[in-house]
Amino acid sequence: MIVVLLDAVALILILKIMDDADVSLFTAVLVSLGAAIGTNLLAYALVLAIGLSGILVAAAVGAVLVGVIVSALFGIEIKRSFTIGGIFMLVHLGISFGLGMLFR
């Protein structure tokens, strides 16, 4: 749950910096939760199918989907929203791996 809250705060900061959008914490938590669950499920399935490179494929697909969701919810142009999705996915992977290593 800590990862989702940190992801939500990161998404709010990224949207504020990139587009000066006002985003509620509830909306950011919903987007972050969907991105975290979807990316993790896709990563597990792809790791079983193609190995460790499945994590990178899942991150790329997750970034595209977050970009589409950000564009649809906040009315940001698609090129900028894909950039936001990519930055968000890098932050999400960093937080996930960092906290995973911290708690081992």
Side-chain angles (χ1 to χ4, degrees):
M1 199 60 175
I2 288 175
V3 174
V4 173
L5 289 175
L6 290 174
D7 282 346
V9 170
L11 181 64
I12 290 172
L13 289 174
I14 293 168
L15 285 170
K16 190 68 172 170
I17 290 170
M18 293 284 291
D19 199 57
D20 199 31
D22 290 327
V23 181
S24 69
L25 183 63
F26 181 72
T27 305
V29 165
L30 288 179
V31 171
S32 299
L33 183 64
I37 291 172
T39 304
N40 285 336
L41 290 175
L42 185 60
Y44 288 137
L46 288 175
V47 164
L48 291 175
I50 62 174
L52 288 178
S53 61
I55 295 172
L56 297 175
V57 174
V61 171
V64 169
L65 293 177
V66 169
V68 169
I69 290 170
V70 164
S71 178
L73 286 178
F74 307 116
I76 299 172
E77 66 182 22
I78 197 74
K79 190 184 292 186
R80 186 171 290 210
S81 68
F82 283 163
T83 304
I84 291 170
I87 293 170
F88 173 77
M89 196 51 62
L90 287 175
V91 170
H92 172 70
L93 288 175
I95 290 171
S96 297
F97 286 133
L99 286 177
M101 291 297 179
L102 183 68
F103 291 122
R104 279 194 186 202

